[in-house]
PDB file of all heavy atoms in Angstrom:
ATOM      1  N   TYR I1204      -6.901   5.966   1.745  1.00 97.00           N
ATOM      2  CA  TYR I1204      -7.111   6.435   0.389  1.00 97.00           C
ATOM      3  C   TYR I1204      -5.989   6.007  -0.529  1.00 97.00           C
ATOM      4  O   TYR I1204      -6.227   5.513  -1.610  1.00 97.00           O
ATOM      5  CB  TYR I1204      -7.336   7.968   0.370  1.00 97.00           C
ATOM      6  CG  TYR I1204      -7.706   8.496  -1.004  1.00 97.00           C
ATOM      7  CD1 TYR I1204      -8.943   8.178  -1.560  1.00 97.00           C
ATOM      8  CD2 TYR I1204      -6.860   9.251  -1.739  1.00 97.00           C
ATOM      9  CE1 TYR I1204      -9.315   8.637  -2.834  1.00 97.00           C
ATOM     10  CE2 TYR I1204      -7.222   9.724  -2.991  1.00 97.00           C
ATOM     11  CZ  TYR I1204      -8.439   9.407  -3.525  1.00 97.00           C
ATOM     12  OH  TYR I1204      -8.772   9.871  -4.807  1.00 97.00           O
ATOM     13  N   GLY I1205      -4.745   6.217  -0.082  1.00 97.00           N
ATOM     14  CA  GLY I1205      -3.590   5.769  -0.837  1.00 97.00           C
ATOM     15  C   GLY I1205      -3.561   4.251  -1.113  1.00 97.00           C
ATOM     16  O   GLY I1205      -3.265   3.759  -2.172  1.00 97.00           O
ATOM     17  N   ALA I1206      -3.984   3.510  -0.075  1.00 97.00           N
ATOM     18  CA  ALA I1206      -4.058   2.041  -0.143  1.00 97.00           C
ATOM     19  C   ALA I1206      -5.113   1.689  -1.180  1.00 97.00           C
ATOM     20  O   ALA I1206      -4.866   0.777  -2.067  1.00 97.00           O
ATOM     21  CB  ALA I1206      -4.346   1.445   1.197  1.00 97.00           C
ATOM     22  N   CYS I1207      -6.244   2.230  -1.108  1.00 98.00           N
ATOM     23  CA  CYS I1207      -7.310   1.947  -2.078  1.00 98.00           C
ATOM     24  C   CYS I1207      -6.933   2.309  -3.512  1.00 98.00           C
ATOM     25  O   CYS I1207      -7.192   1.551  -4.471  1.00 98.00           O
ATOM     26  CB  CYS I1207      -8.642   2.573  -1.709  1.00 98.00           C
ATOM     27  SG  CYS I1207      -9.470   1.867  -0.272  1.00 98.00           S
ATOM     28  N   ARG I1208      -6.334   3.479  -3.650  1.00 97.00           N
ATOM     29  CA  ARG I1208      -5.846   3.913  -4.976  1.00 97.00           C
ATOM     30  C   ARG I1208      -4.866   2.847  -5.519  1.00 97.00           C
ATOM     31  O   ARG I1208      -4.945   2.530  -6.709  1.00 97.00           O
ATOM     32  CB  ARG I1208      -5.217   5.265  -4.918  1.00 97.00           C
ATOM     33  CG  ARG I1208      -6.118   6.408  -4.510  1.00 97.00           C
ATOM     34  CD  ARG I1208      -7.038   6.859  -5.587  1.00 97.00           C
ATOM     35  NE  ARG I1208      -6.305   7.453  -6.687  1.00 97.00           N
ATOM     36  CZ  ARG I1208      -6.787   7.621  -7.875  1.00 97.00           C
ATOM     37  NH1 ARG I1208      -8.020   7.335  -8.181  1.00 97.00           N
ATOM     38  NH2 ARG I1208      -6.014   8.153  -8.871  1.00 97.00           N
ATOM     39  N   THR I1209      -3.985   2.356  -4.684  1.00 97.00           N
ATOM     40  CA  THR I1209      -3.015   1.400  -5.092  1.00 97.00           C
ATOM     41  C   THR I1209      -3.695   0.116  -5.506  1.00 97.00           C
ATOM     42  O   THR I1209      -3.452  -0.482  -6.544  1.00 97.00           O
ATOM     43  CB  THR I1209      -1.952   1.131  -4.006  1.00 97.00           C
ATOM     44  OG1 THR I1209      -1.361   2.419  -3.635  1.00 97.00           O
ATOM     45  CG2 THR I1209      -0.854   0.170  -4.421  1.00 97.00           C
ATOM     46  N   GLU I1210      -4.622  -0.386  -4.602  1.00 96.00           N
ATOM     47  CA  GLU I1210      -5.343  -1.602  -4.910  1.00 96.00           C
ATOM     48  C   GLU I1210      -6.166  -1.497  -6.206  1.00 96.00           C
ATOM     49  O   GLU I1210      -6.370  -2.481  -6.909  1.00 96.00           O
ATOM     50  CB  GLU I1210      -6.246  -1.953  -3.756  1.00 96.00           C
ATOM     51  CG  GLU I1210      -5.547  -2.398  -2.484  1.00 96.00           C
ATOM     52  CD  GLU I1210      -5.019  -3.823  -2.576  1.00 96.00           C
ATOM     53  OE1 GLU I1210      -5.217  -4.532  -3.603  1.00 96.00           O
ATOM     54  OE2 GLU I1210      -4.384  -4.261  -1.572  1.00 96.00           O
ATOM     55  N   ASN I1211      -6.590  -0.287  -6.521  1.00 95.00           N
ATOM     56  CA  ASN I1211      -7.423  -0.028  -7.709  1.00 95.00           C
ATOM     57  C   ASN I1211      -6.573   0.226  -8.981  1.00 95.00           C
ATOM     58  O   ASN I1211      -7.089   0.517 -10.021  1.00 95.00           O
ATOM     59  CB  ASN I1211      -8.394   1.076  -7.475  1.00 95.00           C
ATOM     60  CG  ASN I1211      -9.499   0.657  -6.493  1.00 95.00           C
ATOM     61  OD1 ASN I1211      -9.926  -0.422  -6.454  1.00 95.00           O
ATOM     62  ND2 ASN I1211      -9.975   1.651  -5.722  1.00 95.00           N
ATOM     63  N   GLY I1212      -5.275   0.117  -8.812  1.00 94.00           N
ATOM     64  CA  GLY I1212      -4.382   0.224  -9.948  1.00 94.00           C
ATOM     65  C   GLY I1212      -4.064   1.689 -10.387  1.00 94.00           C
ATOM     66  O   GLY I1212      -3.658   1.909 -11.551  1.00 94.00           O
ATOM     67  N   HIS I1213      -4.146   2.562  -9.464  1.00 95.00           N
ATOM     68  CA  HIS I1213      -3.797   3.972  -9.724  1.00 95.00           C
ATOM     69  C   HIS I1213      -2.424   4.262  -9.083  1.00 95.00           C
ATOM     70  O   HIS I1213      -2.251   4.099  -7.900  1.00 95.00           O
ATOM     71  CB  HIS I1213      -4.805   4.937  -9.147  1.00 95.00           C
ATOM     72  CG  HIS I1213      -6.173   4.738  -9.737  1.00 95.00           C
ATOM     73  ND1 HIS I1213      -6.531   5.226 -10.971  1.00 95.00           N
ATOM     74  CD2 HIS I1213      -7.254   4.085  -9.195  1.00 95.00           C
ATOM     75  CE1 HIS I1213      -7.809   4.867 -11.212  1.00 95.00           C
ATOM     76  NE2 HIS I1213      -8.259   4.212 -10.174  1.00 95.00           N
ATOM     77  N   TYR I1214      -1.485   4.613  -9.951  1.00 96.00           N
ATOM     78  CA  TYR I1214      -0.104   4.836  -9.538  1.00 96.00           C
ATOM     79  C   TYR I1214       0.330   6.223  -9.855  1.00 96.00           C
ATOM     80  O   TYR I1214       0.081   6.725 -10.936  1.00 96.00           O
ATOM     81  CB  TYR I1214       0.853   3.765 -10.197  1.00 96.00           C
ATOM     82  CG  TYR I1214       0.296   2.390 -10.104  1.00 96.00           C
ATOM     83  CD1 TYR I1214      -0.084   1.695 -11.273  1.00 96.00           C
ATOM     84  CD2 TYR I1214       0.184   1.736  -8.886  1.00 96.00           C
ATOM     85  CE1 TYR I1214      -0.586   0.448 -11.180  1.00 96.00           C
ATOM     86  CE2 TYR I1214      -0.258   0.437  -8.859  1.00 96.00           C
ATOM     87  CZ  TYR I1214      -0.672  -0.205  -9.979  1.00 96.00           C
ATOM     88  OH  TYR I1214      -1.157  -1.478  -9.926  1.00 96.00           O
ATOM     89  N   GLY I1215       0.959   6.885  -8.943  1.00 94.00           N
ATOM     90  CA  GLY I1215       1.495   8.201  -9.185  1.00 94.00           C
ATOM     91  C   GLY I1215       1.982   8.932  -7.973  1.00 94.00           C
ATOM     92  O   GLY I1215       1.972   8.406  -6.846  1.00 94.00           O
ATOM     93  N   THR I1216       2.499  10.133  -8.231  1.00 95.00           N
ATOM     94  CA  THR I1216       3.014  10.948  -7.160  1.00 95.00           C
ATOM     95  C   THR I1216       2.001  11.212  -6.064  1.00 95.00           C
ATOM     96  O   THR I1216       2.369  11.211  -4.889  1.00 95.00           O
ATOM     97  CB  THR I1216       3.593  12.256  -7.808  1.00 95.00           C
ATOM     98  OG1 THR I1216       4.574  11.922  -8.767  1.00 95.00           O
ATOM     99  CG2 THR I1216       4.256  13.100  -6.694  1.00 95.00           C
ATOM    100  N   ASN I1217       0.776  11.562  -6.441  1.00 95.00           N
ATOM    101  CA  ASN I1217      -0.220  11.882  -5.453  1.00 95.00           C
ATOM    102  C   ASN I1217      -0.467  10.670  -4.509  1.00 95.00           C
ATOM    103  O   ASN I1217      -0.614  10.864  -3.285  1.00 95.00           O
ATOM    104  CB  ASN I1217      -1.547  12.275  -6.108  1.00 95.00           C
ATOM    105  CG  ASN I1217      -1.459  13.619  -6.720  1.00 95.00           C
ATOM    106  OD1 ASN I1217      -0.638  14.471  -6.331  1.00 95.00           O
ATOM    107  ND2 ASN I1217      -2.254  13.935  -7.716  1.00 95.00           N
ATOM    108  N   GLU I1218      -0.522   9.478  -5.101  1.00 96.00           N
ATOM    109  CA  GLU I1218      -0.742   8.295  -4.261  1.00 96.00           C
ATOM    110  C   GLU I1218       0.443   8.097  -3.263  1.00 96.00           C
ATOM    111  O   GLU I1218       0.221   7.662  -2.129  1.00 96.00           O
ATOM    112  CB  GLU I1218      -0.954   7.035  -5.147  1.00 96.00           C
ATOM    113  CG  GLU I1218      -2.301   7.024  -5.858  1.00 96.00           C
ATOM    114  CD  GLU I1218      -2.421   8.035  -7.002  1.00 96.00           C
ATOM    115  OE1 GLU I1218      -1.459   8.555  -7.500  1.00 96.00           O
ATOM    116  OE2 GLU I1218      -3.604   8.340  -7.320  1.00 96.00           O
ATOM    117  N   ILE I1219       1.607   8.312  -3.760  1.00 96.00           N
ATOM    118  CA  ILE I1219       2.778   8.220  -2.843  1.00 96.00           C
ATOM    119  C   ILE I1219       2.643   9.229  -1.704  1.00 96.00           C
ATOM    120  O   ILE I1219       2.929   8.887  -0.574  1.00 96.00           O
ATOM    121  CB  ILE I1219       4.090   8.426  -3.681  1.00 96.00           C
ATOM    122  CG1 ILE I1219       4.318   7.201  -4.600  1.00 96.00           C
ATOM    123  CG2 ILE I1219       5.298   8.584  -2.716  1.00 96.00           C
ATOM    124  CD1 ILE I1219       5.415   7.390  -5.648  1.00 96.00           C
ATOM    125  N   ILE I1220       2.234  10.419  -2.057  1.00 96.00           N
ATOM    126  CA  ILE I1220       2.085  11.479  -1.037  1.00 96.00           C
ATOM    127  C   ILE I1220       1.012  11.066  -0.004  1.00 96.00           C
ATOM    128  O   ILE I1220       1.239  11.203   1.191  1.00 96.00           O
ATOM    129  CB  ILE I1220       1.759  12.849  -1.675  1.00 96.00           C
ATOM    130  CG1 ILE I1220       3.017  13.357  -2.431  1.00 96.00           C
ATOM    131  CG2 ILE I1220       1.294  13.870  -0.657  1.00 96.00           C
ATOM    132  CD1 ILE I1220       2.767  14.517  -3.329  1.00 96.00           C
ATOM    133  N   TYR I1221      -0.094  10.528  -0.459  1.00 96.00           N
ATOM    134  CA  TYR I1221      -1.172  10.054   0.453  1.00 96.00           C
ATOM    135  C   TYR I1221      -0.565   9.017   1.418  1.00 96.00           C
ATOM    136  O   TYR I1221      -0.788   9.052   2.654  1.00 96.00           O
ATOM    137  CB  TYR I1221      -2.348   9.459  -0.250  1.00 96.00           C
ATOM    138  CG  TYR I1221      -3.083  10.419  -1.186  1.00 96.00           C
ATOM    139  CD1 TYR I1221      -3.400   9.998  -2.431  1.00 96.00           C
ATOM    140  CD2 TYR I1221      -3.427  11.705  -0.808  1.00 96.00           C
ATOM    141  CE1 TYR I1221      -4.060  10.843  -3.342  1.00 96.00           C
ATOM    142  CE2 TYR I1221      -4.088  12.557  -1.687  1.00 96.00           C
ATOM    143  CZ  TYR I1221      -4.396  12.079  -2.952  1.00 96.00           C
ATOM    144  OH  TYR I1221      -5.061  12.976  -3.819  1.00 96.00           O
ATOM    145  N   LEU I1222       0.149   8.080   0.877  1.00 96.00           N
ATOM    146  CA  LEU I1222       0.720   7.010   1.689  1.00 96.00           C
ATOM    147  C   LEU I1222       1.774   7.528   2.685  1.00 96.00           C
ATOM    148  O   LEU I1222       1.803   7.116   3.861  1.00 96.00           O
ATOM    149  CB  LEU I1222       1.284   5.877   0.819  1.00 96.00           C
ATOM    150  CG  LEU I1222       0.220   5.039   0.076  1.00 96.00           C
ATOM    151  CD1 LEU I1222       0.886   4.258  -1.039  1.00 96.00           C
ATOM    152  CD2 LEU I1222      -0.508   4.154   1.064  1.00 96.00           C
ATOM    153  N   LEU I1223       2.619   8.414   2.183  1.00 94.00           N
ATOM    154  CA  LEU I1223       3.617   9.027   3.087  1.00 94.00           C
ATOM    155  C   LEU I1223       2.984   9.899   4.177  1.00 94.00           C
ATOM    156  O   LEU I1223       3.381   9.779   5.311  1.00 94.00           O
ATOM    157  CB  LEU I1223       4.608   9.873   2.288  1.00 94.00           C
ATOM    158  CG  LEU I1223       5.624   9.115   1.384  1.00 94.00           C
ATOM    159  CD1 LEU I1223       6.398  10.044   0.531  1.00 94.00           C
ATOM    160  CD2 LEU I1223       6.500   8.215   2.243  1.00 94.00           C
ATOM    161  N   ASN I1224       1.925  10.592   3.805  1.00 93.00           N
ATOM    162  CA  ASN I1224       1.193  11.375   4.853  1.00 93.00           C
ATOM    163  C   ASN I1224       0.526  10.419   5.850  1.00 93.00           C
ATOM    164  O   ASN I1224       0.533  10.712   7.049  1.00 93.00           O
ATOM    165  CB  ASN I1224       0.124  12.256   4.202  1.00 93.00           C
ATOM    166  CG  ASN I1224       0.685  13.450   3.486  1.00 93.00           C
ATOM    167  OD1 ASN I1224       1.838  13.816   3.694  1.00 93.00           O
ATOM    168  ND2 ASN I1224      -0.127  14.075   2.623  1.00 93.00           N
ATOM    169  N   GLY I1225       0.036   9.317   5.368  1.00 91.00           N
ATOM    170  CA  GLY I1225      -0.618   8.345   6.245  1.00 91.00           C
ATOM    171  C   GLY I1225       0.348   7.588   7.142  1.00 91.00           C
ATOM    172  O   GLY I1225       0.005   6.964   8.088  1.00 91.00           O
ATOM    173  N   SER I1226       1.679   7.641   6.729  1.00 89.00           N
ATOM    174  CA  SER I1226       2.674   6.878   7.466  1.00 89.00           C
ATOM    175  C   SER I1226       3.256   7.691   8.614  1.00 89.00           C
ATOM    176  O   SER I1226       4.075   7.176   9.437  1.00 89.00           O
ATOM    177  CB  SER I1226       3.806   6.410   6.570  1.00 89.00           C
ATOM    178  OG  SER I1226       4.591   7.534   6.164  1.00 89.00           O
ATOM    179  N   LEU I1227       2.875   8.936   8.757  1.00 86.00           N
ATOM    180  CA  LEU I1227       3.368   9.754   9.856  1.00 86.00           C
ATOM    181  C   LEU I1227       2.784   9.206  11.159  1.00 86.00           C
ATOM    182  O   LEU I1227       1.626   8.864  11.221  1.00 86.00           O
ATOM    183  CB  LEU I1227       2.955  11.219   9.672  1.00 86.00           C
ATOM    184  CG  LEU I1227       3.476  11.884   8.395  1.00 86.00           C
ATOM    185  CD1 LEU I1227       2.842  13.246   8.225  1.00 86.00           C
ATOM    186  CD2 LEU I1227       4.995  11.972   8.362  1.00 86.00           C
ATOM    187  N   GLY I1228       3.543   9.102  12.164  1.00 74.00           N
ATOM    188  CA  GLY I1228       3.093   8.512  13.429  1.00 74.00           C
ATOM    189  C   GLY I1228       3.155   6.984  13.301  1.00 74.00           C
ATOM    190  O   GLY I1228       3.993   6.440  12.616  1.00 74.00           O
ATOM    191  N   GLU I1229       2.192   6.331  13.892  1.00 77.00           N
ATOM    192  CA  GLU I1229       2.168   4.876  13.860  1.00 77.00           C
ATOM    193  C   GLU I1229       1.361   4.451  12.623  1.00 77.00           C
ATOM    194  O   GLU I1229       0.134   4.704  12.543  1.00 77.00           O
ATOM    195  CB  GLU I1229       1.480   4.318  15.125  1.00 77.00           C
ATOM    196  CG  GLU I1229       1.636   2.837  15.246  1.00 77.00           C
ATOM    197  CD  GLU I1229       1.135   2.318  16.559  1.00 77.00           C
ATOM    198  OE1 GLU I1229       1.340   3.050  17.546  1.00 77.00           O
ATOM    199  OE2 GLU I1229       0.630   1.176  16.639  1.00 77.00           O
ATOM    200  N   SER I1230       2.014   3.848  11.669  1.00 76.00           N
ATOM    201  CA  SER I1230       1.346   3.567  10.401  1.00 76.00           C
ATOM    202  C   SER I1230       1.026   2.071  10.296  1.00 76.00           C
ATOM    203  O   SER I1230       1.701   1.203  10.900  1.00 76.00           O
ATOM    204  CB  SER I1230       2.223   3.959   9.219  1.00 76.00           C
ATOM    205  OG  SER I1230       3.456   3.253   9.236  1.00 76.00           O
ATOM    206  N   PRO I1231       0.002   1.743   9.503  1.00 82.00           N
ATOM    207  CA  PRO I1231      -0.439   0.341   9.338  1.00 82.00           C
ATOM    208  C   PRO I1231       0.690  -0.509   8.707  1.00 82.00           C
ATOM    209  O   PRO I1231       1.526   0.074   7.937  1.00 82.00           O
ATOM    210  CB  PRO I1231      -1.643   0.471   8.435  1.00 82.00           C
ATOM    211  CG  PRO I1231      -2.162   1.827   8.635  1.00 82.00           C
ATOM    212  CD  PRO I1231      -0.951   2.693   8.914  1.00 82.00           C
ATOM    213  N   LEU I1232       0.688  -1.771   8.874  1.00 80.00           N
ATOM    214  CA  LEU I1232       1.695  -2.654   8.419  1.00 80.00           C
ATOM    215  C   LEU I1232       1.945  -2.607   6.912  1.00 80.00           C
ATOM    216  O   LEU I1232       3.078  -2.633   6.467  1.00 80.00           O
ATOM    217  CB  LEU I1232       1.316  -4.111   8.856  1.00 80.00           C
ATOM    218  CG  LEU I1232       2.207  -5.252   8.241  1.00 80.00           C
ATOM    219  CD1 LEU I1232       3.609  -5.115   8.804  1.00 80.00           C
ATOM    220  CD2 LEU I1232       1.615  -6.583   8.560  1.00 80.00           C
ATOM    221  N   LYS I1233       0.847  -2.496   6.159  1.00 92.00           N
ATOM    222  CA  LYS I1233       1.030  -2.579   4.686  1.00 92.00           C
ATOM    223  C   LYS I1233       1.491  -1.227   4.074  1.00 92.00           C
ATOM    224  O   LYS I1233       1.592  -1.160   2.829  1.00 92.00           O
ATOM    225  CB  LYS I1233      -0.262  -3.078   4.045  1.00 92.00           C
ATOM    226  CG  LYS I1233      -0.438  -4.576   4.246  1.00 92.00           C
ATOM    227  CD  LYS I1233      -1.697  -5.070   3.513  1.00 92.00           C
ATOM    228  CE  LYS I1233      -1.343  -5.516   2.123  1.00 92.00           C
ATOM    229  NZ  LYS I1233      -2.458  -6.178   1.458  1.00 92.00           N
ATOM    230  N   THR I1234       1.747  -0.217   4.829  1.00 94.00           N
ATOM    231  CA  THR I1234       2.185   1.048   4.271  1.00 94.00           C
ATOM    232  C   THR I1234       3.424   0.864   3.380  1.00 94.00           C
ATOM    233  O   THR I1234       3.490   1.318   2.262  1.00 94.00           O
ATOM    234  CB  THR I1234       2.482   2.086   5.423  1.00 94.00           C
ATOM    235  OG1 THR I1234       1.322   2.276   6.162  1.00 94.00           O
ATOM    236  CG2 THR I1234       2.930   3.399   4.812  1.00 94.00           C
TER     237      THR I1234
END
Side-chain angles (χ1 to χ4, degrees):
Y1204 185 68
C1207 286
R1208 296 283 295 164
T1209 305
E1210 290 285 358
N1211 289 327
H1213 299 282
Y1214 312 112
T1216 303
N1217 288 336
E1218 287 72 19
I1219 292 169
I1220 291 168
Y1221 299 133
L1222 290 165
L1223 289 172
N1224 287 344
S1226 72
L1227 301 172
E1229 191 171 326
S1230 61
L1232 173 64
K1233 286 184 89 173
T1234 301

